[in-house]
Amino acid sequence: MLLGQDAPTTEDHAGRKQVRRLDRVIIRFAGDSGDGMQLTGDRFTSETASFGNDLSTLPNFPAEIRAPAGTLPGVSSFQLHFADHDILTPGDAPNVLVAMNPAALKANIADLPRGAEIIVNTDEFTKRAMQKVGYAASPLEDGSLDGYSLHPVPLTTLTVQALKDFDLSRKEAERSKNMFALGLLSWMYHRPTEGTERFLRAKFAKKPQIAEANLAAFRAGWNFGETTEDFAVSYEIAPATTAFPAGTYRNISGNLALAYGLIAASRQADLPLFLGSYPITPASDILHELSRHKNFGVRTFQAEDEIAGIGAALGAAFGGSLGVTTTSGPGVALKSETIGLAVSLELPLLIVDIQRGGPSTGLPTKTEQADLLQAMFGRNGEAPVPIVAPCTPADCFEAALEAARIALAYRTPVMLLSDGYLANGSEPWRIPATAELPDLTVQFTTRPNHTLDDGTEVFWPYKRDPHTLARPWAIPGTPGLEHRIGGIEKQDGTGNISYDPANHDVMVRTRQAKIDGITVPDLTVDDPHGARTLVLGWGSTYGPITAAVRRLRTAGESIAQAHLRHLNPFPRNLGTVLKRYDKVVIPEMNLGQLATLIRAKYLVDVRSCTQVNGMPFKAEQLTGVLEEALHGH
C-alpha cells in the first residue's frame, strides 16, 4: 500500500486487530451530490484537526444544485490529506477512495495509484446504475480492480439494518449511509468521535429522532470496522507536534478566514463593517458568515444584483464605514464602473474576488487564477487599484487585514484575489492574540484643512497627505466640510468639477503615483543553496510549488522560491531579485497573466507554466516542470 512511511504493524489494545503507524494519508470521499460527501469530509476533517494532525482539503462538487443522480457530472468529492508533519497540499493521489456508487468510482479511479484502497457501496452497483456511466460489466467482478485493495461493503443495506428500530422509511434511513461510511473511516484511522456526536445532536436538535438515527449509523460504521474480517488493519497517524508553533489552533477554510479577517480589520480600525454583496459561487459563504456577526458591528446587505451590492458598499465607505463587496470573476466585470468611481472618489473599499473558471459563467465550482489582468486593468480610463492575494486558506485572514490597511491608509479601493481552491479548502490556523493585530485606526477630518489667500479657512476634499497622497476622509454631515462627489473629474485640491486638460493630467498621474507609492514588504526569497533557477508564484499555487521545491531539494537539486502577495504595486526589490537568476519559472492557473506583467515591467524572459483545467496544480506535475527547467536549455 502506498500510504506514506509506516512503522511495523502492532496489535491494538484489544489484541484482535493490527494497527499500522503511518506518517500521512490521503482520503477521498466520492458520491452523488446528494450523498452528503461534503458533510462527511467536513466532519472527518474537524476530528482530524482536533486530533492535532496537519491537514489540507480539496472539496470538489458539481455546479448544479442537484445534478442527475448516478451520472458522472453529478459526482461530488472531498479529498483530505493529513499527516504527522507539515504538509502543503491536499495531495496528488488518494490512498483511499470511498465510492458511494459506480459514477463515483469511474470519475475517480484514474487518480488512484496501484495498491490504493477502494471502499465501494456494493448496493449501488446495479446493472442500470453501471450502464448509466458506461460499465458494460461490473468493475467489482471483471478483474479491472485487481491492482487495488478492494473492500466491497453493502453500505446502504447495513445502514438500513442498523436503523430498523427507528420509525423511518427506507428512503429516510438510506440518507444516513454517509454517517455509516464516516464511522467506518473513523475506526480505520482512529479519529475521535465525540465532536461528530456533538455536531449531529446540534445539527438535528429540532429533529431528535433524525439525530439519533445518524448517531446510530455512525456508531454502526465504527462497529462494522471493528468486527468485520475484511478490515484486518487500522491505521494511526500521530499528531503533528513539531509542525506548529505554540498556540491555540482551529481548522479553517479560506472563506471563513477571510470573513474573520474582515471583522478583525473593522475592529482594529474602529469602524463599522458594511458588506454589500450579491450571492455568487464560490464567494457566497463570506456573506453567510458575516451576516451572523451583527454583535461586532457588521451590517450585511444582500443586494438585487452585483452593481447594487458594490454601490451600497461604496456609499457606506462615503459614510465612514469599512465598505466591502464580495464576488467572483463575472461579478467583478459588472462592478467595474463602480470600482472606477471608487478610484475617482478615492474612498477605501475592499473588492473581494473569489476567482473561478471563466469566461462568462464558466466553471462556477472550479478554481482558476485568471482574473489578475481584469483586476489590474479591467476598468475604463487610467484607474489603478492595489491587488493583494492570499496564498493558503489560513492566510486569507492576514490578507484581509493587509487589504484593509492599504485601503484605509491610502484611501483607495483594493482588490483581494482569492480563488475557489483557497475558499473551500481548509487547514489548521493559529488564532492570533488581539495584541498581534495591526493598528488600523483612521482619523476622520473634522475641521477645515486649507486657508485661502484672504485668510478664509475652507475644506479641500482633495488636499493630500504629503507621504501617502491620500485625500482626507470627511463624514457626511460634518459642519463646514460639505463637498461634492461623483464620477466627473475633480479639480486638484478643491474637488470642484473640472474639464481642464492640464488638471486631468495632474489627477491621473497623482492617482497612479499614490498606488505606486504604497509601502509593501520586500519580496522574501527562499534560496538556501545559491540557486540559478527561481520559481515565482502568486496566490494558491504556493502549496504545490513549495511541495515541488521540497521534493527537488530532497533529491539534491538547488532551486530558489519566492511568492508574491502584492501584485500591484509589486515589491520594490522584485526587479533586483529577478535579475539574480538565470531562469525564472512562473506556474499559474491561467494562460500566463503574471508572466505577461513580469515580462512587460522587468524585461525578464520568464518561463510560463500554465494550467486551466479547474483544478489546482499537482506537486508531482510541478516537480517535472521545474526539473526540466533546471536541466533544460
Coordinates of all heavy atoms in Angstrom, one line a residue, residues 189-236:
Y189 N -8.9 5.0 11.0 CA -7.9 5.9 11.2 C -7.9 6.5 12.6 O -7.3 7.6 12.8 CB -7.9 7.0 10.1 CG -7.5 6.5 8.8 CD1 -8.5 6.1 7.9 CD2 -6.2 6.2 8.4 CE1 -8.2 5.5 6.7 CE2 -5.9 5.7 7.2 CZ -6.8 5.3 6.4 OH -6.5 4.7 5.2
H190 N -8.5 5.8 13.5 CA -8.5 6.2 14.9 C -8.8 7.7 15.2 O -8.2 8.4 15.9 CB -7.1 5.9 15.5 CG -6.8 4.4 15.5 ND1 -6.6 3.7 16.7 CD2 -6.6 3.5 14.5 CE1 -6.4 2.4 16.4 NE2 -6.4 2.3 15.1
R191 N -9.9 8.1 14.5 CA -10.3 9.5 14.7 C -11.2 9.6 15.9 O -11.9 8.7 16.2 CB -11.1 10.0 13.5 CG -10.4 10.0 12.1 CD -9.2 11.0 12.1 NE -8.0 10.3 12.6 CZ -6.8 10.9 12.7 NH1 -6.8 12.3 12.5 NH2 -5.7 10.3 13.1
P192 N -11.1 10.8 16.6 CA -12.1 11.0 17.7 C -13.5 11.0 17.2 O -13.8 11.3 16.1 CB -11.7 12.4 18.2 CG -10.3 12.6 17.7 CD -10.2 11.9 16.4
T193 N -14.4 10.7 18.1 CA -15.8 10.6 17.7 C -16.7 11.6 18.5 O -17.8 11.9 18.1 CB -16.4 9.2 18.0 OG1 -16.3 8.9 19.4 CG2 -15.6 8.1 17.2
E194 N -16.2 12.1 19.6 CA -17.1 13.0 20.4 C -17.5 14.2 19.7 O -18.7 14.6 19.8 CB -16.3 13.4 21.7 CG -16.0 12.2 22.6 CD -14.7 11.5 22.2 OE1 -14.1 12.0 21.2 OE2 -14.3 10.5 22.8
G195 N -16.7 14.8 18.9 CA -17.0 16.0 18.2 C -18.2 15.8 17.2 O -19.1 16.6 17.0
T196 N -18.1 14.7 16.5 CA -19.1 14.3 15.5 C -20.4 14.1 16.2 O -21.5 14.5 15.7 CB -18.7 13.1 14.7 OG1 -17.6 13.5 13.9 CG2 -19.8 12.6 13.8
E197 N -20.4 13.4 17.3 CA -21.6 13.2 18.1 C -22.3 14.5 18.5 O -23.5 14.6 18.4 CB -21.4 12.2 19.2 CG -21.0 10.8 18.7 CD -20.9 9.8 19.9 OE1 -21.3 10.2 21.0 OE2 -20.6 8.6 19.6
R198 N -21.4 15.4 19.0 CA -22.0 16.7 19.4 C -22.5 17.4 18.2 O -23.6 18.1 18.3 CB -20.9 17.5 20.1 CG -20.5 17.1 21.5 CD -19.7 18.2 22.2 NE -18.5 18.5 21.4 CZ -17.3 17.9 21.6 NH1 -17.2 16.9 22.5 NH2 -16.3 18.3 20.9
F199 N -21.8 17.4 17.1 CA -22.3 18.1 15.9 C -23.6 17.6 15.4 O -24.5 18.3 15.1 CB -21.2 17.9 14.8 CG -21.7 18.3 13.4 CD1 -21.6 19.6 13.1 CD2 -22.3 17.4 12.5 CE1 -22.1 20.1 11.8 CE2 -22.7 17.8 11.3 CZ -22.6 19.1 10.9
L200 N -23.8 16.2 15.4 CA -25.1 15.7 14.9 C -26.3 16.0 15.9 O -27.4 16.4 15.4 CB -25.0 14.2 14.8 CG -24.1 13.7 13.7 CD1 -23.9 12.2 13.8 CD2 -24.6 14.0 12.3
R201 N -26.0 16.0 17.2 CA -27.1 16.4 18.1 C -27.4 17.9 17.9 O -28.6 18.3 18.0 CB -26.6 16.1 19.5 CG -26.6 14.6 19.9 CD -26.6 14.4 21.4 NE -26.7 13.0 21.7 CZ -25.7 12.2 21.9 NH1 -24.5 12.6 21.8 NH2 -26.0 10.9 22.1
A202 N -26.4 18.7 17.7 CA -26.7 20.1 17.5 C -27.4 20.4 16.2 O -28.4 21.2 16.1 CB -25.4 21.0 17.6
K203 N -26.9 19.8 15.1 CA -27.5 20.0 13.8 C -28.9 19.6 13.7 O -29.7 20.2 13.0 CB -26.7 19.2 12.7 CG -27.1 19.4 11.3 CD -26.2 18.7 10.3 CE -26.7 18.8 8.9 NZ -26.7 20.2 8.4
F204 N -29.3 18.5 14.3 CA -30.7 18.0 14.3 C -31.4 18.2 15.6 O -32.2 17.3 16.0 CB -30.7 16.5 13.9 CG -30.1 16.3 12.5 CD1 -28.8 15.7 12.3 CD2 -30.8 16.7 11.3 CE1 -28.3 15.5 11.1 CE2 -30.2 16.5 10.1 CZ -29.0 15.9 9.9
A205 N -31.1 19.3 16.3 CA -31.6 19.5 17.6 C -33.2 19.5 17.6 O -33.8 19.1 18.5 CB -31.1 20.8 18.2
K206 N -33.7 20.0 16.5 CA -35.2 20.1 16.4 C -35.8 18.8 15.8 O -37.0 18.7 15.7 CB -35.5 21.3 15.5 CG -35.1 22.7 16.0 CD -35.6 23.8 15.1 CE -35.2 25.1 15.7 NZ -35.5 26.3 14.8
K207 N -34.9 17.9 15.4 CA -35.4 16.6 15.0 C -34.6 15.5 15.7 O -33.7 14.8 15.1 CB -35.2 16.5 13.4 CG -36.0 17.5 12.7 CD -35.7 17.3 11.2 CE -36.5 18.4 10.3 NZ -36.3 18.2 8.9
P208 N -34.9 15.3 17.0 CA -34.1 14.4 17.8 C -34.0 12.9 17.2 O -33.0 12.3 17.4 CB -34.7 14.4 19.2 CG -36.1 15.0 18.9 CD -36.0 15.9 17.8
Q209 N -35.1 12.5 16.6 CA -35.1 11.1 16.0 C -34.1 11.0 14.9 O -33.3 10.0 14.8 CB -36.5 10.7 15.5 CG -36.5 9.3 15.0 CD -37.9 8.9 14.5 OE1 -38.5 9.7 13.8 NE2 -38.3 7.7 14.7
I210 N -34.0 12.1 14.0 CA -33.0 12.1 13.0 C -31.6 12.1 13.5 O -30.7 11.5 13.0 CB -33.3 13.3 12.0 CG1 -34.7 13.2 11.4 CG2 -32.2 13.3 10.9 CD1 -34.9 11.9 10.5
A211 N -31.4 12.9 14.6 CA -30.1 13.0 15.2 C -29.7 11.6 15.7 O -28.6 11.2 15.5 CB -30.2 14.0 16.4
E212 N -30.6 10.9 16.4 CA -30.3 9.6 17.0 C -30.0 8.6 15.9 O -29.2 7.7 16.0 CB -31.4 9.1 17.9 CG -31.5 9.9 19.2 CD -30.1 9.9 20.0 OE1 -29.5 8.9 20.1 OE2 -29.8 11.0 20.5
A213 N -30.8 8.7 14.8 CA -30.6 7.8 13.7 C -29.2 7.9 13.0 O -28.5 7.0 12.7 CB -31.7 8.0 12.6
N214 N -28.8 9.2 12.9 CA -27.5 9.4 12.3 C -26.4 9.0 13.3 O -25.4 8.4 12.8 CB -27.3 10.9 12.0 CG -27.9 11.3 10.7 OD1 -27.3 11.0 9.6 ND2 -29.0 12.0 10.7
L215 N -26.6 9.2 14.6 CA -25.6 8.7 15.5 C -25.6 7.1 15.5 O -24.5 6.6 15.6 CB -26.0 9.1 16.9 CG -25.7 10.6 17.3 CD1 -26.5 11.0 18.6 CD2 -24.2 10.8 17.4
A216 N -26.7 6.5 15.4 CA -26.7 5.1 15.3 C -26.0 4.6 14.1 O -25.2 3.6 14.1 CB -28.2 4.5 15.3
A217 N -26.2 5.2 12.9 CA -25.5 4.8 11.7 C -24.0 5.1 11.9 O -23.2 4.2 11.4 CB -26.0 5.6 10.5
F218 N -23.6 6.1 12.5 CA -22.2 6.5 12.7 C -21.5 5.4 13.6 O -20.5 4.9 13.2 CB -22.1 7.8 13.3 CG -20.7 8.2 13.7 CD1 -19.7 8.5 12.7 CD2 -20.3 8.4 15.0 CE1 -18.4 8.9 13.1 CE2 -19.0 8.8 15.4 CZ -18.1 9.0 14.4
R219 N -22.2 5.0 14.6 CA -21.6 4.0 15.5 C -21.6 2.6 14.9 O -20.7 1.8 15.1 CB -22.5 4.0 16.8 CG -22.3 5.2 17.7 CD -23.4 5.3 18.7 NE -23.2 6.5 19.6 CZ -24.2 7.1 20.2 NH1 -25.4 6.5 20.2 NH2 -24.0 8.2 20.9
A220 N -22.6 2.4 14.1 CA -22.7 1.1 13.4 C -21.5 1.0 12.4 O -20.9 -0.1 12.2 CB -24.0 0.9 12.6
G221 N -21.1 2.1 11.7 CA -20.0 2.0 10.8 C -18.7 1.8 11.6 O -17.8 1.0 11.2
W222 N -18.6 2.4 12.8 CA -17.4 2.1 13.6 C -17.4 0.7 14.0 O -16.3 0.0 13.9 CB -17.5 3.1 14.8 CG -16.3 2.8 15.8 CD1 -16.2 1.8 16.7 CD2 -15.2 3.7 16.0 NE1 -15.1 1.9 17.4 CE2 -14.4 3.1 17.0 CE3 -14.8 4.9 15.4 CZ2 -13.2 3.6 17.4 CZ3 -13.6 5.4 15.9 CH2 -12.8 4.8 16.9
N223 N -18.5 0.2 14.5 CA -18.5 -1.2 15.0 C -18.3 -2.2 13.8 O -17.7 -3.3 14.0 CB -19.9 -1.5 15.6 CG -20.1 -0.7 16.9 OD1 -19.1 -0.4 17.6 ND2 -21.3 -0.5 17.3
F224 N -18.7 -1.9 12.6 CA -18.5 -2.7 11.5 C -17.0 -2.9 11.2 O -16.5 -4.0 11.0 CB -19.2 -2.2 10.2 CG -19.0 -3.0 9.0 CD1 -19.7 -4.2 8.8 CD2 -18.1 -2.5 8.0 CE1 -19.4 -4.9 7.6 CE2 -17.8 -3.3 6.9 CZ -18.5 -4.5 6.7
G225 N -16.3 -1.8 11.3 CA -14.8 -1.8 11.1 C -14.2 -2.7 12.2 O -13.2 -3.4 11.9
E226 N -14.7 -2.5 13.4 CA -14.1 -3.3 14.5 C -14.3 -4.8 14.4 O -13.5 -5.6 14.8 CB -14.7 -2.8 15.8 CG -14.2 -3.4 17.0 CD -12.8 -3.0 17.4 OE1 -12.3 -2.0 16.9 OE2 -12.1 -3.8 18.1
T227 N -15.4 -5.2 13.8 CA -15.8 -6.6 13.8 C -15.6 -7.4 12.5 O -15.5 -8.6 12.5 CB -17.3 -6.8 14.3 OG1 -18.1 -6.0 13.3 CG2 -17.5 -6.2 15.7
T228 N -15.7 -6.7 11.4 CA -15.6 -7.4 10.1 C -14.2 -7.9 9.8 O -13.2 -7.3 10.2 CB -16.1 -6.5 8.9 OG1 -16.0 -7.3 7.7 CG2 -15.1 -5.3 8.8
E229 N -14.1 -9.0 9.2 CA -12.8 -9.6 8.8 C -12.2 -8.9 7.6 O -11.0 -9.1 7.4 CB -13.0 -11.1 8.6 CG -13.4 -11.9 9.8 CD -13.5 -13.4 9.5 OE1 -13.2 -13.8 8.3 OE2 -13.9 -14.2 10.4
D230 N -13.0 -8.2 6.9 CA -12.5 -7.5 5.7 C -11.4 -6.4 6.0 O -10.6 -6.1 5.2 CB -13.6 -7.0 4.8 CG -13.1 -6.6 3.4 OD1 -12.3 -7.3 2.9 OD2 -13.6 -5.5 2.9
F231 N -11.6 -5.8 7.2 CA -10.7 -4.8 7.6 C -9.8 -5.3 8.7 O -10.2 -5.2 9.9 CB -11.4 -3.5 8.0 CG -12.1 -2.8 6.9 CD1 -13.5 -3.2 6.6 CD2 -11.5 -1.9 6.1 CE1 -14.2 -2.6 5.6 CE2 -12.2 -1.3 5.0 CZ -13.5 -1.6 4.8
A232 N -8.7 -5.9 8.3 CA -7.8 -6.6 9.3 C -6.8 -5.6 10.0 O -6.2 -5.9 11.0 CB -7.0 -7.7 8.7
V233 N -6.7 -4.4 9.4 CA -5.7 -3.5 9.9 C -6.3 -2.1 10.0 O -7.1 -1.7 9.1 CB -4.5 -3.4 8.9 CG1 -3.5 -2.3 9.4 CG2 -3.8 -4.7 8.7
S234 N -6.0 -1.4 11.1 CA -6.4 0.0 11.2 C -5.1 0.8 11.2 O -4.0 0.3 11.4 CB -7.2 0.3 12.4 OG -6.5 0.0 13.6
Y235 N -5.2 2.2 11.1 CA -4.0 3.0 10.9 C -4.0 4.1 12.0 O -5.0 4.7 12.3 CB -4.0 3.5 9.5 CG -4.1 2.5 8.5 CD1 -5.3 2.1 7.9 CD2 -2.9 1.8 8.0 CE1 -5.4 1.1 7.0 CE2 -3.0 0.8 7.1 CZ -4.2 0.4 6.6 OH -4.3 -0.6 5.6
E236 N -2.8 4.4 12.4 CA -2.6 5.6 13.3 C -1.6 6.6 12.6 O -0.6 6.2 12.0 CB -1.9 5.1 14.6 CG -2.9 4.4 15.6 CD -2.2 4.1 16.9 OE1 -0.9 4.3 17.0 OE2 -2.9 3.8 17.8

